[in-house]
Amino acid sequence: QVQLVESGGGLVQAGGSLRLSCAASGRTFSSYVMGWFRQAPGKEREFVAAISRSGGGINYADSVKGRFTISRDNAKNTMYLQMTSLNPEDTAVYYCAVTTHYGVGRSRPREYDYWGPGTQVPVSS
């Protein structure tokens, strides 16, 4: 019903910046709350940020507040994650996801219905 593809991942040095994109297709993009998650090797997938359908509501994990910015462009069916001040602890596979339920407060992976394949973000020291 919804297909998602992340792009923009790649090696970045500590202190650097990177912008991830998530292209959506299959349904009306603006109908869904969307979010970013990440999973480091050997660790559980964790919430990063979520954004409301209109882009007016945003929720960030405490670990990324002040460093990451989530946004969306409904006309382009694309969501973004601008990451700055990256450190090795940010190293992970980053996933975009869609929930068919309302609410940017949804931060559990189980609350999201559609997922992209992920994009690797290695942060070197």
Side-chain angles (χ1 to χ4, degrees), residues 8-11 18 20 39 41 91-94 118-122:
L11 179 64
L18 201 65
L20 304 181
Q39 187 167 18
T91 295
V93 176
Y94 283 71
T119 186
Q120 182 71 51
V121 179

Side-chain angles (χ1 to χ4, degrees), residues 1-49:
Q1 293 179 318
V2 176
Q3 293 184 326
L4 305 169
V5 180
E6 303 93 343
S7 63
L11 179 64
V12 62
Q13 293 183 333
S17 300
L18 201 65
R19 189 173 84 155
L20 304 181
S21 298
C22 174
S25 63
R27 284 197 174 186
T28 303
F29 179 78
S30 61
S31 296
Y32 305 110
V33 170
M34 300 184 69
W36 289 97
F37 291 77
R38 66 186 184 184
Q39 187 167 18
K43 294 190 176 183
E44 189 174 328
R45 189 169 299 187
E46 66 175 355
F47 172 76
V48 175

Side-chain angles (χ1 to χ4, degrees), residues 60-81:
Y60 293 105
D62 288 341
S63 61
V64 305
K65 284 183 179 178
R67 299 190 299 122
F68 291 10
T69 302
I70 188 172
S71 62
R72 68 191 296 166
D73 186 337
N74 289 343
K76 296 181 178 180
N77 291 343
T78 303
M79 178 179 66
Y80 306 96
L81 184 68

Side-chain angles (χ1 to χ4, degrees), residues 31-33 52-53 99-106 111:
S31 296
Y32 305 110
V33 170
S52 68
R53 294 173 296 167
T99 176
T100 58
H101 299 85
Y102 174 80
V104 295
R106 299 184 181 277
E111 295 178 294

